Amino acid sequence: MKLSPSMLACDFSKMGEEIVKISNSGADMIHMDIMDGHFVPNISFGPSIIKSLRNLTNLIFDVHLMIADPEQYVNVFLDSGADIITFHLESNQNSDYILKTIDKIKSKNKKVGLAIKPQTKYEALLPYLKFLDLALVMTVEPGFGGQKLLENQLLKTELLKKEILSQNLSTEIQIDGGVNLETIGIIKKYPIDICVSGTCVFKSQNISETVKILKS
Ligand code: DX5
Ligand code: ZN
């Protein structure tokens, strides 16, 4: 399983040092949670911060947009150094909008992911699956780190995996929220390719050891 530590849980006064620590920890990528105070009731950071971190590491930048109008901001995040951009299905009900946003990301040869909140059925992702590099199943309500894993969301990964296999796709399945040393045992029973983990990684005494355990 790949691991994508979330910068949301880092010490924001030392973002440069924190990202270098993650680079040396064995993590596969780094997750950037972008929140606008509209789509979710919290505000995090934006593209200029991502840009300032870009030259400190070769890690894959896995950018998770929790914002109201992702299509409008995709280019600025791509220019800031994002390698993967995941946006929320719930950000717009219109499928043309979703497809246009997917195309915009793919036209820059970057990877695209689509995320669903806990109350959204996995079936809502199916029409887009063949266009996606990543399907993100939120295992907490988006907006804040340090929440408890919603275990009932894990079943969605099995249902998505069946569909991915039956269509012979290479879409990866990611989960985000509540991944820690206590919950990783149950998580590993599901067909998950990438786990996001914020609090558990950044608050641990030994980041490399924690990354190793979560990935193994
Ligand atoms: C929640 C974010 C998550 C979150 C994960 O809106 O998308 O990435 O920071 O944090 P932990 O691992 O603390 O649940
Ligand atoms: Zn996230």
Side-chain angles (χ1 to χ4, degrees), residues 31 33 64 66 176 196:
H31 189 81
D33 283 308
H64 176 194
M66 286 163 275
D176 184 2
V196 175

Side-chain angles (χ1 to χ4, degrees), residues 69-76 78-79 85 87 96-112:
D69 186 3
E71 196 261 338
Q72 190 187 343
Y73 294 97
V74 155
N75 281 337
V76 76
L78 290 167
D79 292 344
I85 293 193
F87 65 100
D96 287 343
Y97 177 97
I98 302 286
L99 291 168
K100 191 174 167 198
T101 309
I102 290 173
D103 275 353
K104 222 166 168 174
I105 299 167
K106 288 178 109 173
S107 73
K108 295 270 177 86
N109 288 321
K110 299 296 176 187
K111 291 193 172 178
V112 62

Side-chain angles (χ1 to χ4, degrees), residues 4-9 31-35 40 42 64 66 88 136 138-149 175-180 196-201 203:
S4 189
S6 169
M7 288 297 279
L8 191 65
H31 189 81
M32 312 272 190
D33 283 308
I34 310 304
M35 304 176 179
V40 287
N42 195 7
H64 176 194
M66 286 163 275
H88 271 265
L136 169 53
M138 289 303 299
T139 43
V140 296
E141 203 53 56
F144 298 91
Q147 302 182 73
K148 193 171 172 292
L149 176 84
I175 63 160
D176 184 2
V179 176
N180 57 47
V196 175
S197 179
T199 311
C200 172
V201 171
K203 305 296 179 235

Side-chain angles (χ1 to χ4, degrees), residues 106 125-133 167 169 171:
K106 288 178 109 173
L125 280 177
L126 299 184
Y128 308 104
L129 213 50
K130 61 175 178 288
F131 305 116
L132 301 177
D133 298 292
Q167 291 188 41
L169 303 173
T171 315

